């Protein structure tokens, strides 16, 4: 039998796996394309994004562990709170391929808005089980709102670049 800390660590790290895979779309051509876009002055510096996402992913992952533990594992009662969580996480992981890979800023915005809605529903479901777990999602919800505003602004400020056209090499 695994030590009791193993599930906590596993749940905490899972969200970062998808985030790490998403960085593959931000490198190389995707990064050059993004660097060429017009961005608002309140755009965060690139160096801060990894610490922010690492913190947010760890917080939501640990929150999912608290829910899992409180509901006795993957039980019937856990289907809705953990299902909502898994759904929003999948939507979250879909954003980099949409934005950086396909260069579909409008569809990426739709994805962010759906992610925010699912994350809010997750927080409501979690609050009924574990208020501290729900509180771990609040910074993520705030960041998603900021990210949606940023995505919208970049999309609008780069009208000629929003159709998914790739830079010529």
């Amino acid at each position: 039998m695994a030590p009791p800390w193993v599930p906590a660590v596993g749940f905490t790290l899972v969200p970062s796996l998808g985030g790490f895979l998403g960085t593959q779309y931000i490198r190389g051509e995707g990064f050059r394309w993004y660097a060429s876009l017009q961005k608002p002055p309140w755009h965060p510096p690139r160096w801060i994004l990894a610490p922010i996402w690492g913190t947010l992913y760890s917080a939501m992952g640990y929150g999912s562990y608290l829910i899992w533990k409180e509901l006795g594992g993957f039980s019937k009662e856990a289907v809705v709170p953990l299902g909502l969580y898994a759904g929003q996480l999948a939507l979250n992981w879909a954003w980099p391929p949409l934005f950086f890979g396909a260069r579909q800023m409008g569809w990426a915005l739709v994805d962010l808005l759906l992610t925010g809605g699912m994350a809010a529903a997750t927080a409501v479901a979690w609050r009924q089980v574990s208020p501290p777990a729900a509180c771990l999602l609040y910074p993520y919800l705030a960041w998603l709102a900021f990210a949606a505003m940023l995505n919208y602004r970049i999309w609008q400020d780069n009208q000629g670049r929003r159709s998914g056209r790739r830079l010529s090499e």
Side-chain angles (χ1 to χ4, degrees):
M1 187 159 135
W5 55 267
V6 170
V9 171
F11 275 87
T12 301
L13 293 177
V14 162
S16 296
L17 295 176
F20 174 74
L21 293 174
T23 63
Q24 303 310 309
Y25 292 94
I26 301 171
R27 296 181 180 158
E29 181 64 23
F31 177 72
R32 286 190 293 278
W33 169 78
Y34 185 70
S36 74
L37 297 176
Q38 181 181 346
K39 292 175 254 346
W42 44 272
H43 178 274
R46 183 176 181 219
W47 62 266
I48 201 162
L49 297 177
I52 287 173
W53 277 111
T55 301
L56 296 173
Y57 279 146
S58 295
M60 76 171 79
Y62 187 71
S64 71
Y65 164 73
L66 294 176
I67 297 300
W68 175 83
K69 183 179 172 188
E70 183 69 29
L71 295 176
F74 295 111
S75 64
K76 182 179 177 183
E77 295 80 20
V79 169
V80 171
L82 292 179
L84 287 168
Y85 169 70
Q88 70 80 31
L89 192 56
L91 286 166
N92 177 294
W93 290 346
W95 187 85
L98 284 170
F99 192 92
F100 293 100
R103 300 181 187 159
Q104 294 294 325
M105 293 180 265
W107 285 112
L109 178 60
V110 169
D111 176 78
L112 263 177
L113 295 173
L114 291 172
T115 303
M118 289 282 289
T122 301
V124 169
W126 284 14
R127 184 138 188 90
Q128 296 171 7
V129 177
S130 169
C135 287
L136 289 171
L137 290 177
Y138 298 160
Y140 174 56
L141 290 169
W143 184 259
L144 287 174
F146 173 76
M149 291 185 300
L150 182 61
N151 189 146
Y152 177 77
R153 179 73 183 270
I154 292 172
W155 179 37
Q156 293 303 300
D157 289 350
N158 294 278
Q159 293 289 326
R161 315 279 314 269
R162 67 188 215 191
S163 66
R165 284 184 249 143
R166 294 187 176 269
L167 294 173
S168 58
E169 300 218 23

